[in-house]
Amino acid sequence: MSFSCANSIYGGEWVRVRHIPAESTTWHPIDDDLAGTVEYGTESDDSAAWSVNFASKVPAGCTYNEFLFATGDCAKWLVATTDAVIGEIYSNVDRRIIASSDGSDYVAKWYNRGVDLDPWVSIVDHGAAIAQAKMVYGEGISNTHYRDSFQSNGGADVYVRSDCRCEHLYGGRWERVRHIPAESTTWHPIDDDLAGTVEYGTESDDSAAWSVNFASKVPAGCTYNEFLFATGDCAKWLVATTDAVIGEIYSNVDRRIIASSDGSDYVAKWYNRGVDLDPWVSIVDHGAAIAQAKMVYGEGISNTHYRDSFQSNGGADVYVRSDCR
């Protein structure tokens, strides 16, 4: 359910960073005032509470500027800026809500006193939220208050979003052309050797796999000459020329990487043998990428290998770019 919240609520592109399951006896078991610097639990193991470093889930050099708080079934949710939630100390004061399951562009009274349990974030004023079970965030290892707000709705999650998208990586101007969601059981469900001529799914419906004609996304009379492969949270990414990726047949051979989340101007061993599953594109050598979960592209409707490379990072996307302005 949580992945659908990330894709469907208020523009999507949210990355989940903190979770408590429905059976939790407390709110989020941490007292970091929603700073998001403490890690605990196992990411995406929703049977227990977990949290990642929030900043690690946005592109390098970017910051997150919005929170989405949602129950696991997405029935109760709220979007607000980070400044509105944790930008200052306040007590029972109106804070701006961008949108929620109740409406948009309004205020509600919350608490952020710099003490255990805070911040308390709610869809309506704090007092009313207690009675209506509309609390969406609280914290503290002994915080057992108002649990009916999440226990009947599949738990509670925190997401972040930056206005700095994968499209802005390494000079920007990227056009997204192919996608698989985090919950996909295979890599990209096509065997076109990354030619980009087959269309399937619904473009930008990130709840399912989709692909468009790659050439249709560059100006008329131009060709695309670079690929960007990136996970949905932009944490793992790689830029290479189309020639480096699909310009010839090769097997476990060094291919030039222009830049990646690991560095710039280096080589890694990939496969493009003209067979099902290929090309395999990875941030490091293919063998090492398996162990390090650093594979960024694979294809085939039965290709279930190395899915940990994208399933904990919001799925995987392919982008193209032309040097034709």
Side-chain angles (χ1 to χ4, degrees):
M1 286 292 190
S2 296
F3 290 117
S4 64
C5 298
N7 295 330
S8 63
I9 291 178
Y10 205 73
E13 299 188 3
W14 297 99
V15 182
R16 194 162 59 137
V17 292
R18 184 166 286 181
H19 168 78
I20 46 171
E23 53 271 295
S24 178
T25 57
T26 71
W27 279 91
H28 299 277
I30 188 66
D31 179 26
D32 70 346
D33 301 326
L34 201 53
T37 53
V38 180
E39 301 182 31
Y40 54 87
T42 301
E43 182 179 2
S44 297
D45 175 4
D46 288 353
S47 65
W50 60 263
S51 186
V52 298
N53 184 299
F54 295 2
S56 71
K57 291 300 183 177
V58 296
C62 299
T63 58
Y64 57 93
N65 57 358
E66 289 179 312
F67 283 119
L68 164 64
F69 304 96
T71 51
D73 62 3
C74 313
K76 304 172 189 175
W77 59 270
L78 182 152
V79 175
T81 66
T82 52
D83 279 347
V85 182
I86 56 172
E88 61 185 335
I89 298 297
Y90 54 85
S91 179
N92 201 33
V93 170
D94 283 341
R95 309 302 289 180
R96 177 63 55 184
I97 294 169
I98 296 173
S100 79
S101 45
D102 272 20
S104 61
D105 193 21
Y106 67 102
V107 296
K109 288 180 168 59
W110 301 340
Y111 287 88
N112 186 39
R113 297 159 293 186
V115 299
D116 288 352
L117 314 189
D118 292 17
W120 279 115
V121 181
S122 50
I123 293 170
V124 293
D125 288 345
H126 184 88
I130 296 171
Q132 297 175 36
K134 289 188 175 180
M135 210 70 69
V136 289
Y137 188 82
E139 62 180 48
I141 57 174
S142 60
N143 186 352
T144 60
H145 303 294
Y146 325 136
R147 291 171 293 169
D148 54 340
S149 289
F150 68 84
Q151 288 184 328
S152 297
N153 294 90
D157 295 289
V158 180
Y159 301 76
V160 296
R161 182 169 69 181
S162 169
D163 58 7
C164 192
R165 305 283 193 264
C166 297
E167 286 89 339
H168 301 298
L169 288 168
Y170 203 73
R173 300 184 298 104
W174 296 101
E175 294 286 344
R176 192 162 63 133
V177 293
R178 184 166 287 182
H179 167 79
I180 46 171
E183 57 268 47
S184 178
T185 57
T186 71
W187 278 91
H188 300 276
I190 188 66
D191 179 26
D192 70 346
D193 301 326
L194 202 53
T197 54
V198 180
E199 300 183 30
Y200 53 86
T202 302
E203 182 179 2
S204 297
D205 175 5
D206 287 353
S207 64
W210 60 263
S211 186
V212 298
N213 184 297
F214 295 3
S216 72
K217 290 299 183 176
V218 297
C222 298
T223 57
Y224 58 92
N225 58 356
E226 289 179 312
F227 284 119
L228 163 65
F229 304 95
T231 51
D233 61 6
C234 313
K236 305 172 189 175
W237 59 271
L238 182 151
V239 175
T241 66
T242 53
D243 278 348
V245 182
I246 55 173
E248 61 185 334
I249 298 297
Y250 54 86
S251 179
N252 200 32
V253 170
D254 283 342
R255 308 302 288 179
R256 177 63 55 183
I257 293 170
I258 296 172
S260 79
S261 44
D262 272 20
S264 60
D265 192 22
Y266 66 102
V267 296
K269 288 180 168 59
W270 302 341
Y271 288 87
N272 185 39
R273 296 160 292 185
V275 299
D276 289 351
L277 314 189
D278 290 17
W280 278 116
V281 181
S282 50
I283 293 170
V284 293
D285 287 346
H286 184 89
I290 295 170
Q292 297 175 36
K294 289 187 176 182
M295 209 71 69
V296 290
Y297 188 83
E299 61 180 50
I301 58 174
S302 61
N303 186 352
T304 59
H305 303 293
Y306 326 135
R307 291 170 294 168
D308 55 340
S309 288
F310 68 82
Q311 288 184 326
S312 296
N313 293 90
D317 295 289
V318 180
Y319 301 77
V320 297
R321 183 170 67 181
S322 169
D323 61 3
C324 193
R325 300 291 193 268

